[in-house]
Amino acid sequence: MGNMSTHSINNQNKLIQFLFGTWERTQLSISAGLLLLMVFSPLVIKSPYYIGVITLACLYAFIGISWNIISGFCGQLLIAHIIFIGLGGYTTIVLLNNYGISPWIGIPIGGFVSGIAGVVVALITVRYGLKLDYFALFTIALLVALRTLFLKWEFVGGAVGMYLRQETPSLNRMIFISKLPYLYIACSLLLFGIIIQYLTYKSKFGKYFIAIREDETAAAALGVNLTKYKTLAVMIGTALAGLGGGFYIIYVTYIDPTGIFNLGFNAEMVMASPIIGGLGSLVGPILGALVNKPIAEIIRANLAEARSGITMIVYGIFLISAVLFLPRGLAGLIQTLYYRWFHGITSTHQEGE
Amino acid sequence: MTSEIFFQTLINGLFTGGIYALVSIGLTLIYGVMVIVNFAHGEFLTIGIYTAFWSVTLLGIDPYMSIPIAIIIAGILGAVIQRGLVQQVLDSHPLHQIVLLVGVSLLLIGVIQFSFGAEPKAMHVPYETEVIQLFGLRMAIPRLIAFGASLFISIGLFIFLQYTKIGKAIRAVSQSRQAASLMGINVNLIYMLTFGIGAAITAVAGVLLSPNHRMIPTMGEAYSVIAFLVVVLGTMGNFVGAFIGGLIIGLVEAYAGFYLGGDVKIIASMLIFIVILLFKPSGLFGRKR
């Protein structure tokens, strides 16, 4: 008997070691746990409205991951990241409405188009040495130019935007009566994002990204090809954003230039989750999205009807307080606790920031 | 294009450019001193234009009489935002600075929208459609006033920066924070003051724009982007550069608008912005770093 219990304690220790042995593994375990929670949430939550909120939280986490790779890992200030969500979304809906191509193919093509656009943007800006503030301003100028272009471009619906046609449910067109299939597609996207993010983080080029973020000149001096790896980071991130955008349009069934090429929406959809959760960490975008989306949605549902503007106030306060009080985000907070509990270290020096 | 239309477009462009110059001077001043891009800059213009609206609606005064009110509101708000928020991130990574100021921008838009509603408003003054004819060119009175006031304020601020003690202190801080501090200048006070001045003159630009102008809470974004463009064109941190850059962009928009139509002119400006960023990010007056 005694032997048996030591054995099971050993197994338990092994399990704990496996799940929480390092901070990286802990982040993966938390990510997996949160993802499972979302997958199984319909067992408890029956209201389609709340399932919808969880679906969007899942999507925001995925989009947060896409921005995290560019800005968090590689340190590139691609502020107007929503450009690539818009491009992916427009590609998907144009393919579906004008050519009858199923979203199952259209969404990956959207990701491909966004990835190509990202490569073009990265190559141009790196070629001319745009960095930091100047790069950020460049992306914002691009956003404004694209918005104006799409407003005038009748092929993609102009100022009116585009609606999903043929609302008859069909698997092929990714139109369902129940909210559940959307949730599972969003969860699969998020799983894909978590895997890509982890592989990037573990890979050699992921280390180069972080070297570029920490000190570009030093990285270049050590032989890191800046053009190549900055472009690669932007390509991975923008391609993921395109996928997210494609699914987003299918889910909300509508896109228009002022709605999507919009800096306020950019702050909500792209920036808020990784910033709140912890930019540059593995678990940050997911933690952040789970705080960001539900809170904002509750406020929107309960207060915004009385007065518009509340949502923007909330996002403004989110971003400001994250920078001032939690510069490493929720992940940074958990990391400190983690080192205290598991390793007895009270002051940490880590990779997250 | 006849010469008459050419000169009419020139006048229109200069008038628009005057407002752009004023907004951009505020941005470049803040950048020159603090090396921070104020992503919430356009919102101070929105504050100015709403101040004019409410002064006319509630107090029944002429919109131009609300300039002191706008200066006080935006100036104090700017100083408070600098001391309370921006000061904390001056030495942080640019990403943190940008995120903070994007947050401030959202917060300000949200508060304006919460207070006054999202629907467009317009304010009317009796003389809004009056026009002066000069050498066959038509000049709307409010736009003429706006241009004159922009010139006056820009020159006044230039003299202030060149010849007064505080102005010299501001320029000293923009040249070297450490050296200025060693000379006994209270650097943090200068930061606060500069942000306040930058915010206040931007709000004045909003007041000058107010007669017969449609206003919505999110209108600041367009002006932020134009100010970024102008400031990069005229070299970031360069006062005179921002003024000349503002006039240039005003003219470009006027002629592009004439040839390409109203909305497409924004694409022309953005293409200029992108080309400048790519080929000469140090701007017209910048030396190679």
Side-chain angles (χ1 to χ4, degrees):
Chain A
M1 279 298 266
N3 207 4
M4 278 284 282
S5 73
T6 5
H7 194 68
S8 76
I9 284 170
N10 268 342
N11 275 347
Q12 210 179 335
N13 278 338
K14 269 185 195 159
L15 184 68
I16 288 177
Q17 196 59 35
F18 177 74
L19 289 178
F20 304 107
T22 61
W23 169 235
E24 255 168 53
R25 284 205 169 157
T26 311
Q27 292 191 82
L28 274 186
S29 307
I30 299 174
S31 306
L34 293 175
L35 181 60
L36 285 176
L37 264 182
M38 288 193 263
V39 170
F40 291 110
S41 60
L43 295 178
V44 185
I45 299 165
K46 299 291 173 202
S47 144
Y49 170 74
Y50 287 112
I51 297 292
V53 173
I54 296 168
T55 308
L56 282 178
C58 211
L59 180 68
Y60 278 26
F62 175 72
I63 285 168
I65 284 176
S66 78
W67 193 57
N68 192 33
I69 292 174
I70 301 173
S71 295
F73 288 0
C74 198
Q76 302 304 299
L77 301 188
L78 210 167
I79 295 300
H81 190 56
I82 202 155
I83 291 170
F84 302 99
I85 296 165
L87 288 180
Y90 265 111
T91 308
T92 308
I93 197 165
V94 166
L95 286 176
L96 178 61
N97 276 3
N98 298 12
Y99 303 102
I101 294 172
S102 155
W104 295 103
I105 302 164
I107 291 175
I109 295 178
F112 182 74
V113 168
S114 285
I116 297 287
V119 168
V120 172
V121 167
L123 281 179
I124 292 174
T125 50
V126 175
R127 159 71 182 77
Y128 292 99
L130 283 195
K131 277 184 259 180
L132 304 172
D133 295 346
Y134 286 90
F135 182 56
L137 293 178
F138 178 89
T139 67
I140 290 173
L142 200 60
L143 177 97
V144 175
L146 280 177
R147 177 169 63 212
T148 319
L149 193 70
F150 275 69
L151 279 171
K152 288 279 147 192
W153 194 9
E154 287 307 323
F155 181 68
V156 296
V160 183
M162 292 187 95
Y163 290 86
L164 271 192
R165 275 199 219 125
Q166 283 197 1
E167 300 280 334
T168 42
S170 82
L171 177 66
N172 182 39
R173 305 183 77 91
M174 218 185 261
I175 298 169
F176 309 103
I177 301 171
S178 156
K179 289 263 183 192
L180 290 183
Y182 293 110
L183 176 66
Y184 295 133
I185 296 171
C187 286
S188 325
L189 268 181
L190 181 55
L191 178 66
F192 179 63
I194 291 172
I195 293 170
I196 295 281
Q197 180 180 240
Y198 181 70
L199 291 179
T200 306
Y201 183 80
K202 287 301 273 183
S203 69
K204 202 171 172 185
F205 60 80
K207 304 292 180 227
Y208 289 157
F209 291 174
I210 291 165
I212 291 172
R213 177 190 73 196
E214 293 300 321
D215 190 338
E216 209 177 292
T217 326
L222 290 173
V224 176
N225 182 339
L226 294 184
T227 311
K228 187 171 162 189
Y229 291 106
K230 279 185 182 179
T231 309
L232 186 63
V234 172
M235 186 188 84
I236 298 172
T238 51
L240 291 180
L243 291 180
F247 173 72
Y248 177 73
I249 301 318
I250 298 299
Y251 181 70
V252 300
T253 71
Y254 170 66
I255 188 169
D256 77 309
T258 35
I260 195 83
F261 296 122
N262 180 312
L263 281 179
F265 191 47
N266 185 58
E268 170 185 335
M269 196 185 205
V270 175
M271 294 168 79
S273 312
I275 296 280
I276 296 167
L279 199 64
S281 67
L282 292 174
V283 75
I286 305 158
L287 281 176
L290 283 173
V291 175
N292 161 16
K293 188 60 197 169
I295 291 183
E297 205 55 45
I298 289 165
I299 290 159
R300 191 170 285 164
N302 294 320
L303 295 171
E305 274 168 31
R307 275 287 195 185
S308 59
I310 292 265
T311 334
M312 271 191 276
I313 296 178
V314 169
Y315 277 109
I317 292 172
F318 266 169
L319 294 184
I320 294 169
S321 32
V323 170
L324 290 186
F325 307 118
L326 222 56
R328 282 167 50 221
L330 295 172
L333 203 66
I334 296 175
Q335 190 181 18
T336 312
L337 294 177
Y338 167 80
Y339 277 115
R340 196 173 296 166
W341 287 340
F342 283 85
H343 300 285
I345 306 167
T346 41
S347 83
T348 57
H349 182 78
Q350 38 54 56
E351 352 89 282
E353 188 130 320
Chain B
M1 182 183 247
T2 65
S3 70
E4 193 179 315
I5 297 174
F6 176 83
F7 284 111
Q8 185 64 56
T9 313
L10 184 81
I11 293 285
N12 291 347
L14 283 179
F15 282 7
T16 313
I19 295 286
Y20 289 172
L22 208 51
V23 177
S24 312
I25 282 171
L27 187 67
T28 213
L29 198 62
I30 293 170
Y31 183 84
V33 172
M34 270 163 274
V35 198
I36 194 165
V37 181
N38 183 11
F39 277 79
H41 200 66
E43 276 59 59
F44 291 104
L45 180 134
T46 319
I47 288 171
I49 203 168
Y50 273 87
T51 307
F53 176 82
W54 287 109
S55 301
V56 171
T57 316
L58 295 181
L59 306 175
I61 57 175
D62 190 86
Y64 298 115
M65 292 297 120
S66 68
I67 286 180
I69 307 176
I71 288 179
I72 292 169
I73 293 177
I76 291 177
L77 191 63
V80 167
I81 288 173
Q82 197 286 327
R83 177 48 59 90
L85 306 174
V86 176
Q87 181 74 27
Q88 323 291 327
V89 295
L90 280 181
D91 297 321
S92 307
H93 191 270
L95 182 68
H96 284 156
Q97 301 176 342
I98 293 177
V99 171
L100 180 96
L101 283 160
V102 168
V104 170
S105 153
L106 286 177
L107 183 62
L108 291 177
I109 297 173
V111 169
I112 293 168
Q113 192 162 320
F114 180 77
S115 317
F116 309 128
E119 63 280 2
K121 288 185 170 36
M123 185 190 73
H124 297 285
V125 284
Y127 46 83
E128 69 184 28
T129 50
E130 280 179 34
V131 166
I132 292 181
Q133 292 267 7
L134 203 66
F135 307 119
L137 301 173
R138 298 164 58 83
M139 291 177 247
I141 299 266
R143 304 201 63 200
L144 191 62
I145 296 175
F147 183 65
S150 306
L151 274 184
F152 179 75
I153 293 168
S154 307
I155 294 170
L157 198 61
F158 184 73
I159 291 171
F160 168 77
L161 287 174
Q162 288 295 325
Y163 300 109
T164 65
K165 212 171 171 184
I166 298 174
K168 283 177 181 169
I170 291 178
R171 287 192 296 133
V173 173
S174 80
Q175 281 169 10
S176 167
R177 185 166 154 186
Q178 276 84 11
S181 171
L182 287 172
M183 297 302 121
I185 295 170
N186 184 342
V187 173
N188 289 341
L189 190 69
I190 293 295
Y191 282 165
M192 224 167 103
L193 194 68
T194 309
F195 211 100
I197 293 174
I201 61 170
T202 309
V204 173
V207 175
L208 293 174
L209 206 60
S210 64
N212 202 14
H213 194 288
R214 180 173 166 274
M215 53 188 93
I216 50 170
T218 48
M219 67 186 288
E221 187 205 301
Y223 285 91
S224 283
V225 173
I226 288 192
F228 296 154
L229 156 61
V230 169
V231 163
V232 171
L233 175 67
T235 302
M236 278 203 174
N238 187 323
F239 187 95
V240 181
F243 184 78
I244 296 172
L247 296 184
I248 291 177
I249 293 306
L251 288 172
V252 166
E253 280 201 355
Y255 286 106
F258 181 81
Y259 282 114
L260 306 170
D263 299 325
V264 184
K265 67 185 185 192
I266 302 168
I267 296 188
S269 312
M270 287 310 119
L271 286 181
I272 290 180
F273 192 13
I274 288 171
V275 168
I276 293 166
L277 277 171
L278 294 180
F279 294 101
K280 200 156 184 339
S282 57
L284 293 177
F285 304 94
R287 281 179 233 100
K288 248 195 148 53
R289 277 172 297 177

